[in-house]
Amino acid sequence: MAEQKQRRPGYGKGLTGELLAEFLGTFVLILLGCASVAVAVAGLPGSGRQSDPFGAANWLIIAFGWGFAVVFGVYVAGGVSGAHINPAVTLAFAVRRAFPWVKVVPYMLAQLVGAFAAAAVVYSVYSWAIDAYNAKAGVPRSESLDTYAIFATFPAEYFGGSWWGPLLDQIVGTAILVLLIFALIDARNSAPAANLGPFLIGMVVTVIGLTFGPNAGYAINPARDFGPRLWTFLTGWGELALPGTHESFSFYFWIPIVGPLIGAVLGALVYDLFIGKVLAARSSAPEPGKAGDASS
């Protein structure tokens, strides 16, 4: 029946369809990821289902929540746009000449809008828990770092207000992410079969959270941080969000943007230098990303 209906000419073709996919894939990523933080920070304690303070078990909820959020975000958008769902990944593909530069800014904007919209939905669902948490803690929203952390990231106290430590963390974390993504999608390498790539990419994010997460919240994705950060700025968290200032850090907002972009390029270059060029010399298979993106 559905096949007999006349389709709108051109709908979903080319860049328009890819941007819709990037929007929705990023939306799913941020929706599930931020919601997992909301569960761990305010949902479980406020619901009466957890009497202990935030601890290792809550961190596992967050780490696996973000990991599976990536899995399903990639499954949603992968067949249409390649499911970058991360401006740093988009930039890395473009630097490798596996993605057209003309699409970079539109992809990034679609990702940012998807992240912002997802933060709005998470807030609408968890606003009661957030308000109850702040009331119990006796702090106004504008000073509540805990509930702000449901949406965006901040550096650990042990950095002492330094920019360099968190910036290095974001560079290293994103370089690992991109390097492993390229390894997992490279058909010339030991790429996973049976469409397991998205699952394993999600597990990459999980392991980054388990190994580097406490340093600066492992944003490793400019849209993931700035979209929700913008939402929190508009809904009462004030300077915590923009410019990103609190007792132990100041003017932080740019680090989860610049750090991942630098790290993504480094990760791509390292993969190509140590693995990609070797595989290219041994195989005639196409480089990852080129076949699908060139035809779109």
Side-chain angles (χ1 to χ4, degrees):
M1 291 291 192
E3 291 79 6
Q4 295 177 0
K5 294 181 179 179
Q6 184 177 4
R7 292 188 296 178
R8 292 173 58 189
Y11 179 75
K13 289 185 178 181
L15 184 59
T16 300
E18 294 170 27
L19 297 182
L20 290 172
E22 283 296 303
F23 168 86
L24 187 59
T26 310
F27 179 89
V28 169
L29 163 64
I30 304 305
L31 181 75
L32 300 180
C34 285
S36 73
V37 186
V39 166
V41 170
L44 280 176
S47 69
R49 294 177 173 86
Q50 177 180 321
S51 57
D52 298 330
F54 187 99
N58 301 76
W59 189 257
L60 288 175
I61 291 172
I62 293 170
F64 280 97
W66 277 108
F68 281 107
V70 170
V71 170
F72 295 116
V74 174
Y75 275 126
V76 163
V80 177
S81 67
H84 296 184
I85 60 176
N86 182 339
V89 172
T90 299
L91 178 63
F93 273 119
V95 167
R96 298 181 79 230
R97 293 176 296 182
F99 186 73
W101 279 101
V102 70
K103 294 183 180 181
V104 168
V105 172
Y107 261 53
M108 289 181 174
L109 289 175
Q111 293 153 1
L112 179 62
V113 174
F116 180 86
V121 174
V122 172
Y123 173 83
S124 69
V125 173
Y126 276 100
S127 59
W128 292 271
I130 289 169
D131 290 341
Y133 183 96
N134 290 338
K136 184 176 181 180
V139 295
R141 179 176 294 184
S142 61
E143 298 176 11
S144 179
L145 187 61
D146 289 345
T147 55
Y148 162 77
I150 291 171
F151 300 97
T153 64
F154 63 92
E157 293 182 0
Y158 47 70
F159 287 119
S162 166
W163 286 344
W164 170 240
L167 181 63
L168 177 63
D169 170 81
Q170 289 299 290
I171 292 171
V172 171
T174 314
I176 295 168
L177 171 68
V178 168
L179 188 154
L180 294 180
I181 287 174
F182 287 164
L184 288 168
I185 66 172
D186 195 341
R188 306 167 301 170
N189 205 339
S190 300
N195 202 23
L196 282 175
F199 175 78
L200 292 176
I201 290 171
M203 293 307 97
V204 169
V205 173
T206 299
V207 77
I208 291 173
L210 293 174
T211 53
F212 290 92
N215 283 330
Y218 71 112
I220 57 176
N221 180 336
R224 171 266 174 275
D225 187 85
F226 191 73
R229 182 182 294 272
L230 182 58
W231 175 259
T232 57
F233 175 74
L234 296 175
T235 50
W237 277 270
E239 290 187 354
L240 276 174
L242 291 171
T245 298
H246 192 54
E247 296 172 359
S248 61
F249 58 89
S250 62
F251 207 74
Y252 183 77
F253 82 95
W254 63 273
I255 290 177
I257 298 174
V258 174
L261 294 175
I262 295 172
V265 173
L266 288 177
L269 294 176
V270 168
Y271 181 78
D272 279 344
L273 178 63
F274 285 86
I275 304 296
K277 291 185 181 300
V278 176
L279 291 171
R282 296 182 175 186
S283 171
S284 59
E287 293 183 38
K290 280 195 173 178
D293 290 324
S295 61
S296 55

